[in-house]
Amino acid sequence: MEPDRSHSTPKASSLRWQILRRALLRRPSNLGFAENPGEKTSLDKVSRRTRSGFNLIPFHVMSEVEENSDSLPKKDGCFCYTLPLPNAPKLFLRQRWEDCVDLNDFEVCKRYDIDNTGLVCQWPSEEVLAYYSMSHLDSFRSKKVIELGSGYGLAGLVIAMATEALEVVISDGNPQVVDYIQRNVDTNSAAFGSTKVKSMILHWDQHELSDISGTFDIIVASDCTFFKKFHKGLARTIRCLLKEHGPSQAILFSPKRGDSLDKFLVEVKESGLHFTITETYDSEIWRRHKNIINGDHSWTNYESDHCYPLMITITR
């Protein structure tokens, strides 16, 4: 007699493929295809992404009427962030709706040997980096700053708008992502004051960075240590970009994610750089982290190892 498998629990690998399938198909509800509630619950359990993160910077989705601009493509939305600073201007961020990908995204990834995580969503570590920068305005004032693996550029834009930095370069290795960054730079340009801001396509395996080598006071990045194949290139890029004379540092926010962060730090050390790790770097972020651990259900399937970003400071 065959065992009853009708209520067996799907494997995590199977559920991740279902996440990808759902993103590619994007079945409209008005076509009569109803999503299985049990399937959605299982997918929520395997995915650790969250729409709200630590809820550090308030935002709302803008309507096309509010935007007073040409209609956005159906795959894009415009988000208005209210920075928690006195007299701060609004920050407008154009990005993809979550779970909205197409096959061309994967073709671009294969062509340039990159990942497409910058298109997937606004990752919580990016919000943490943005919030941290607003709590340390003096650290960025009059400095040359570059953000690596920026995604849609929230943190870089916040630094450009709020800290009176001399220059902010917002970079990513994915040309599709950099297109979004440039649109967001153009949209918010009136709020940058005297800070020079530009986008840049930057691959971590580039061996020729002569135009910008050794020129940055501060490098920032968030959740960029997930893929181990990019560790060596990221460590080399940080060493290459840090200013050689005078104080300079890289500030990264990243969860441990098993041994991924540890393996990246091995590459940092082998590159001749020094690092420190700080777990409690902001009282408000730490408070929200502890609340989620202790029963706040706003972040489904939260795990410290995969979700709470540690602060890594890297110096020469």
Side-chain angles (χ1 to χ4, degrees), residues 138-155:
D138 289 342
S139 298
F140 297 91
R141 186 169 289 118
S142 302
K143 301 294 177 58
K144 294 186 68 173
V145 183
I146 185 169
E147 183 180 11
L148 304 179
S150 304
Y152 295 109
L154 175 63

Side-chain angles (χ1 to χ4, degrees), residues 11-305:
K11 293 182 179 179
S13 59
S14 173
L15 292 171
R16 290 189 178 97
W17 277 111
Q18 290 181 48
I19 292 173
L20 176 60
R21 177 178 178 272
R22 184 172 67 178
L24 289 172
L25 292 179
R26 295 293 293 172
R27 297 174 298 186
S29 58
N30 60 354
L31 294 181
F33 296 101
E35 185 174 49
N36 184 323
E39 176 186 355
K40 184 178 187 303
T41 300
S42 296
L43 295 180
D44 287 342
K45 287 182 178 179
V46 75
S47 176
R48 293 189 176 89
R49 280 181 6 197
T50 175
R51 286 177 173 81
S52 57
F54 293 100
N55 281 313
L56 297 165
I57 307 176
F59 71 90
H60 69 274
V61 180
M62 297 186 66
S63 68
E64 292 180 5
V65 175
E66 286 179 292
E67 292 166 39
N68 191 28
S69 63
D70 296 335
S71 295
L72 291 172
K74 290 183 178 180
K75 65 182 179 181
D76 291 351
C78 185
F79 298 76
C80 177
Y81 287 81
T82 303
L83 306 187
L85 292 172
N87 304 314
K90 303 290 186 182
L91 188 157
F92 301 97
L93 202 72
R94 177 175 171 176
Q95 66 181 69
R96 291 265 191 97
W97 294 112
E98 289 193 17
D99 296 331
C100 187
V101 296
D102 57 51
L103 291 177
N104 182 58
D105 298 338
F106 299 100
E107 292 171 359
V108 171
C109 291
K110 182 177 180 180
R111 187 184 316 141
Y112 293 98
D113 190 24
I114 53 177
D115 66 80
N116 73 332
T117 52
L119 289 173
V120 173
C121 66
Q122 189 69 255
W123 295 97
S125 294
E126 177 82 358
E127 183 193 30
V128 167
L129 172 56
Y131 186 84
Y132 177 87
S133 70
M134 288 186 284
S135 302
H136 297 78
L137 300 177
D138 289 342
S139 298
F140 297 91
R141 186 169 289 118
S142 302
K143 301 294 177 58
K144 294 186 68 173
V145 183
I146 185 169
E147 183 180 11
L148 304 179
S150 304
Y152 295 109
L154 175 63
L157 291 168
V158 167
I159 292 170
M161 295 173 68
T163 69
E164 299 180 357
L166 178 65
E167 178 182 356
V168 178
V169 178
I170 308 175
S171 73
D172 200 278
N174 188 323
Q176 292 177 293
V177 174
V178 176
D179 285 345
Y180 279 95
I181 294 173
Q182 187 57 52
R183 292 190 191 102
N184 291 328
V185 168
D186 293 341
T187 299
N188 294 281
S189 59
F192 297 149
S194 61
T195 300
K196 180 181 178 181
V197 185
K198 65 178 181 179
S199 64
M200 174 182 287
I201 298 176
L202 180 60
H203 298 282
W204 300 338
D205 61 355
Q206 285 180 230
H207 293 284
E208 292 297 329
L209 296 171
S210 56
D211 291 344
I212 56 174
S213 293
T215 61
F216 291 98
D217 302 291
I218 300 178
I219 298 170
V220 294
S222 60
D223 216 345
C224 286
T225 65
F226 180 79
F227 293 104
K228 297 175 184 177
K229 64 178 288 188
F230 300 129
H231 284 175
K232 186 180 292 293
L234 176 56
R236 187 195 65 81
T237 299
I238 290 172
R239 179 177 177 81
C240 180
L241 296 178
L242 280 176
K243 190 170 65 174
E244 296 183 16
H245 304 289
S248 62
Q249 63 177 337
I251 303 170
L252 281 65
F253 287 92
S254 180
K256 286 184 63 66
R257 297 189 185 278
D259 66 351
S260 183
L261 179 59
D262 291 336
K263 287 186 177 296
F264 167 68
L265 294 176
V266 170
E267 296 291 347
V268 169
K269 188 173 182 179
E270 290 183 353
S271 295
L273 299 170
H274 307 279
F275 67 85
T276 59
I277 302 173
T278 307
E279 182 180 30
T280 309
Y281 44 82
D282 183 274
S283 59
E284 181 60 24
I285 296 171
W286 183 254
R287 183 186 69 81
R288 298 190 186 205
H289 161 66
K290 298 298 286 187
N291 284 347
I292 296 171
I293 289 177
N294 294 329
D296 180 346
H297 300 295
S298 61
W299 191 326
T300 305
N301 209 28
Y302 184 90
E303 285 186 11
S304 297
D305 182 77

